[in-house]
Amino acid sequence: MKPLEGLLVLDFSQFLAGPSAALRLGDLGARVIKIERPVTGELNRQLSIKNRMVDGDSMLFHTINRSKESYAANLKDSEDLECVRALIKQADVLIENFRPGTMEKLGLGYDAVKALNGGIVYATVTGYGGEGPWRDKPGQDLLIQSLSGLAWLNGNADQPPVPFGLAVADMFAGAHLAQGILACLVRRGRTGEGGRVEVSLLESALDLQFEVLTTHLNDGGELPQRSAVNSAHAYLGAPYGIYETAGGGYIALAMGSVIRLGELLACKELAAYQDPKSWFTERDDIKRILVNHMRTRSTEDWLAVLEPADYWCADVLTWERLFAHEGFRALGMVQEIGRPDGTGRLRTTRCPIRINGERLFDDRAAPKVGEHNAAIERQYQLRSAVPDGGEGNRDGA
């Protein structure tokens, strides 16, 4: 039995942060029902990466919405909205990431939902929080990276700001949201009390920088200085960085003694840096020495010297080399998913969490729009909850 089996999660969210939190709850055993507009469904169904579509939906949508069910409802229609309210009464968690005020306009804000179900955990993701001058700005990952200082912190000193190659603000916000939801569920188990969980992409991006921000806040306000050579961390000295080796390979060198590194690499020039303080104050000079020295031998040669000495280092792998390595294959991180009718098949990653030593796999692909309407309405008796005279447009937006 997975830890969250028996819990019902209603996922009203779109794109990445909210859906990733719902996905993780589903991986841990919760039943996740995606509430989306009829016909077209969530906008992310059309947001393709590299123009790759799977059975009419974007590959990204399949990746972030695997194992969920779909209930199509027009939230501006009285009959559909009443069905959703009836579903909320029986749910454990509600997740939404509309712009601030949207759920209130629909009559599904926290206070209204709490009145329907006092034990529900109501979880919200915004771009910048519910107040302040940025409240209504679009919460998009690249914009968040730019505003939060993340992009400014990356790259060498002579380079412009460099964004991450991943939607890191979205993914961390989703992880933080799942943590908050689980905390409220634990409290509900003790007290019966539900709760509201709120995270923002900006706050998650700031929390991601807690190490360097704390250093800055307690260092007289001095700003971090990116290294001019192979920068990897603004507050760490040499040799921290990635270096090219002979044959076009690369090696990562983490924290360690520059003196010891010079001995292991037979690099006599490093012996001049006996004072550990110089490893930061003169890190660019040290790194320039290493840049030239590391190119004299292959990555394999350097690893054969450094790894037996327990000096922190690593090969820099492409995905092709990573997938071929036994270290990756031993993890069993790839699973194949698909729909019951044989469509929507693709390979993706599994949940990275293990419970009692067991890996968590789920081979169900993302649903089609409204695929589970009939089954959900029967199980939860939703149509019987609609007041007499209720009318609905099932094809509404």
Side-chain angles (χ1 to χ4, degrees):
M1 181 177 179
K2 294 181 179 180
L4 301 185
E5 283 186 18
L7 294 183
L8 174 60
V9 176
L10 302 183
D11 180 11
F12 287 77
S13 60
Q14 305 181 80
F15 298 115
L16 191 54
S20 69
L23 173 68
R24 191 60 68 232
L25 299 180
D27 284 336
L28 293 170
R31 180 182 185 183
V32 181
I33 297 177
K34 191 169 188 65
I35 310 295
E36 50 184 340
R37 61 171 57 87
V39 184
T40 57
E42 188 211 320
L43 293 174
N44 196 25
R45 288 182 180 271
Q46 285 76 51
L47 185 64
S48 60
I49 294 180
K50 202 180 177 183
N51 296 319
R52 293 295 301 274
M53 306 292 283
V54 177
D55 195 30
D57 295 313
S58 75
M59 187 172 292
L60 175 61
F61 178 83
H62 278 276
T63 302
I64 210 69
N65 290 287
R66 57 175 173 76
S67 80
K68 300 178 185 178
E69 301 172 43
S70 172
Y71 185 75
N74 177 5
L75 299 179
K76 296 180 180 179
D77 173 84
S78 60
E79 183 178 340
D80 280 13
L81 183 58
E82 202 61 37
C83 288
V84 170
R85 290 181 192 273
L87 196 54
I88 287 172
K89 291 179 182 179
Q90 303 173 73
D92 298 285
V93 177
L94 183 154
I95 299 175
E96 64 91 12
N97 67 345
F98 295 111
R99 287 198 179 189
T102 300
M103 287 292 272
E104 283 74 13
K105 291 178 182 178
L106 294 169
L108 296 176
Y110 176 61
D111 291 336
V113 167
K114 184 180 179 182
L116 292 172
N117 181 347
I120 200 166
V121 175
Y122 190 105
T124 299
V125 185
T126 62
Y128 309 86
E131 55 191 25
W134 290 345
R135 176 179 184 270
D136 295 318
K137 289 174 67 67
Q140 194 277 331
D141 197 274
L142 179 61
L143 308 184
I144 298 293
Q145 288 192 43
S146 301
L147 284 170
S148 67
L150 272 177
W152 167 75
L153 201 60
N154 281 345
N156 292 342
D158 61 346
Q159 291 180 308
V162 179
F164 282 78
L166 298 168
V168 290
D170 272 306
M171 290 187 284
F172 273 92
H176 294 156
L177 191 69
Q179 291 170 14
I181 291 169
L182 293 172
C184 280
L185 288 172
V186 171
R187 182 182 66 182
R188 192 187 70 172
R190 297 197 310 266
T191 67
E193 177 187 0
R196 186 173 191 181
V197 179
E198 298 175 89
V199 303
S200 74
L201 302 186
L202 181 58
E203 288 166 295
S204 288
L206 292 171
D207 180 73
L208 177 58
Q209 302 172 81
F210 76 93
E211 177 190 14
V212 291
L213 283 176
T214 301
T215 303
H216 166 65
L217 292 170
N218 293 277
D219 197 28
E222 184 176 344
L223 292 173
Q225 300 298 315
R226 297 182 296 173
S227 176
V229 182
N230 293 1
S231 182
H233 193 299
Y235 281 119
L236 290 180
Y240 203 82
I242 292 177
Y243 298 83
E244 186 178 3
T245 59
Y250 292 88
I251 189 170
L253 299 177
M255 294 84 73
S257 165
V258 170
I259 299 170
R260 176 62 173 150
L261 182 62
E263 294 170 352
L264 292 169
L265 301 180
C267 182
K268 296 180 180 180
E269 292 176 88
L270 295 182
Y273 300 94
Q274 295 291 318
D275 185 355
K277 291 181 180 179
S278 69
W279 304 346
F280 183 83
T281 59
E282 300 180 64
R283 66 180 176 184
D284 287 349
D285 293 334
I286 296 171
K287 286 185 174 185
R288 287 189 183 96
I289 293 170
L290 283 170
V291 164
N292 294 325
H293 191 78
M294 300 307 289
R295 288 174 176 161
T296 62
R297 297 175 65 179
S298 70
T299 300
E300 292 75 13
D301 288 343
W302 292 129
L303 291 174
V305 172
L306 296 174
E307 286 185 332
D310 198 26
Y311 200 95
W312 289 2
C313 61
D315 197 350
V316 180
L317 301 179
T318 62
W319 282 346
E320 182 180 32
R321 293 178 61 212
L322 170 66
F323 294 163
H325 200 287
E326 178 57 31
F328 174 80
R329 291 198 298 265
L331 297 175
M333 275 298 297
V334 176
Q335 64 178 355
E336 186 170 303
I337 61 176
R339 291 170 175 156
D341 62 3
T343 61
R345 302 208 68 81
L346 66 115
R347 298 171 72 213
T348 185
T349 55
R350 64 164 173 84
C351 175
I353 300 169
R354 301 188 191 205
I355 303 294
N356 294 334
E358 294 293 325
R359 300 167 178 150
L360 302 179
F361 294 95
D362 195 325
D363 63 359
R364 294 173 294 166
K368 296 179 181 179
V369 180
E371 180 179 343
H372 303 95
N373 271 52
I376 290 169
E377 290 177 359
R378 281 196 305 270
Q379 178 178 356
Y380 294 102
Q381 301 179 343
L382 301 187
R383 289 293 154 185
S384 62
V386 177
D388 291 341
E391 297 179 358
N393 173 15
R394 302 295 292 161
D395 296 322

